[in-house]
Amino acid sequence: MLRYFFIGFTLLLLLLVSMTGLRGWKSKRPPLELFPDMVRQAKYKAQTESSFYADGRAAQAHATGTVPMGYSAPQAKFADSNSSSTDLAGPYKNIQFSGSPTYRETGRMGTQWGTGIPFEVTPSIMQRGQERYNISCAVCHAATGQGNGIASKYGLNGIANQHQQRIRDMADGEIFNTITWGKNTMMGYGSNIQVPDRWAIICYLRALQRSQNATLSDVPDAEQKKLNR
Ligand code: HEC
């Protein structure tokens, strides 16, 4: 009986101390960081020196003729009130995106994952996808999609190999969702990769998968003949 009393008493005491005990204390020491994320990192602050560059400045001027993003930034629409989309130049010039949650924005058709690329896939879309894949995905999934990108050398385990049958069979919409929101230990890239780029990445991913899993019958006749068979 007494034992239970002591256990109960200790727990109650702990609860009391944790609720009220440390309130209002001041400390010069930094707070405990259980998950520091990337709060502290090696970086240069504005206007600091660097011995790396000859001119001793950490912030270097842009090279002449630098264009900010490779395409025009999304524009606010004023004039054309009929268009409910953001107009992007480059490979997406003629593709309109609505602001509503359609297949293009969610990867879902009703309650299921949909499949298919929601616009015409052209060579420039594939190129854009390749470029974006190499920027956003290759660090982990590797340029080949095999999952042994540079991040795996720094202790990130369990990076999915894109050539698994499971991912080959996966609906495009589900991959879209994985890019947008992440999956288990993969974080979401929705805030970094704009919607059409996510689809372009999927186009390129499909090409990568095909490249590792093709048969002779996938090769066009004309090319087969060159093989002298
Ligand atoms: C920081 C590393 C990292 C980056 C960058 C990354 N991924 Fe992943 N990805 C992972 C990991 C780890 C997994 C395995 C997650 C798990 O445990 O299921 C994964 C899983 C996946 C899967 C399989 C999801 C499933 O349902 O099993 C797909 C598809 C995928 N990634 C696509 C991409 C694409 C496309 C990009 C680029 C836009 C990308 N990933 C960027 C780490 C990354």
Side-chain angles (χ1 to χ4, degrees):
M1 187 60 210
L2 205 59
R3 217 169 98 208
Y4 292 121
F5 172 74
F6 275 121
I7 294 176
F9 185 74
T10 316
L11 284 179
L12 200 71
L13 203 68
L14 266 176
L15 192 73
L16 260 173
V17 168
S18 61
M19 277 167 60
T20 59
L22 306 174
R23 279 203 186 176
W25 280 21
K26 287 189 180 146
S27 167
K28 293 229 153 104
R29 282 181 295 153
L32 266 182
E33 287 171 337
L34 291 185
F35 299 103
D37 291 332
M38 292 174 73
V39 173
R40 259 152 278 288
Q41 47 188 286
K43 62 171 179 267
Y44 285 118
K45 295 203 166 150
Q47 311 290 343
T48 46
E49 288 177 17
S50 160
S51 55
F52 184 77
Y53 295 106
D55 65 1
R57 297 191 298 180
Q60 296 293 297
H62 294 300
T64 23
T66 304
V67 178
M69 290 155 75
Y71 50 85
S72 64
Q75 305 286 318
K77 357 136 201 145
F78 296 107
D80 182 7
S81 54
N82 287 336
S83 115
S84 60
S85 67
T86 313
D87 190 18
L88 299 167
Y92 308 122
K93 213 169 15 237
N94 300 318
I95 299 166
Q96 302 282 299
F97 282 86
S98 73
S100 58
T102 60
Y103 172 60
R104 281 183 298 206
E105 281 84 25
T106 62
R108 284 189 177 84
M109 287 177 176
T111 54
Q112 305 214 331
W113 297 122
T115 204
I117 303 299
F119 47 77
E120 197 196 331
V121 182
T122 61
S124 65
I125 299 269
M126 289 300 281
Q127 247 163 25
R128 175 86 183 165
Q130 178 178 34
E131 181 200 51
R132 295 292 118 178
Y133 176 91
N134 286 334
I135 292 171
S136 302
C137 320
V139 277
C140 292
H141 291 285
T144 57
Q146 242 130 23
N148 55 352
I150 187 74
S152 67
K153 313 278 186 297
Y154 289 90
L156 185 65
N157 293 319
I159 303 172
N161 178 348
Q162 305 290 352
H163 304 290
Q164 298 167 66
Q165 195 59 43
R166 187 176 63 79
I167 301 181
R168 265 193 223 123
D169 294 340
M170 195 175 276
D172 295 332
E174 188 171 356
I175 297 183
F176 179 88
N177 190 70
T178 298
I179 300 177
T180 311
W181 301 107
K183 174 94 184 227
N184 301 332
T185 49
M186 174 181 153
M187 66 174 238
Y189 287 87
S191 53
N192 305 44
I193 306 175
Q194 47 174 329
V195 168
D197 281 341
R198 287 175 229 163
W199 289 111
I201 287 173
I202 295 170
C203 295
Y204 181 66
L205 191 64
R206 292 309 194 197
L208 268 186
Q209 289 175 332
R210 194 73 187 273
S211 75
Q212 302 297 306
N213 194 39
T215 62
L216 199 58
S217 58
D218 292 317
V219 180
D221 279 346
E223 297 295 321
Q224 280 195 40
K225 286 209 183 81
K226 287 189 200 156
L227 296 175
N228 253 344
R229 295 178 75 253

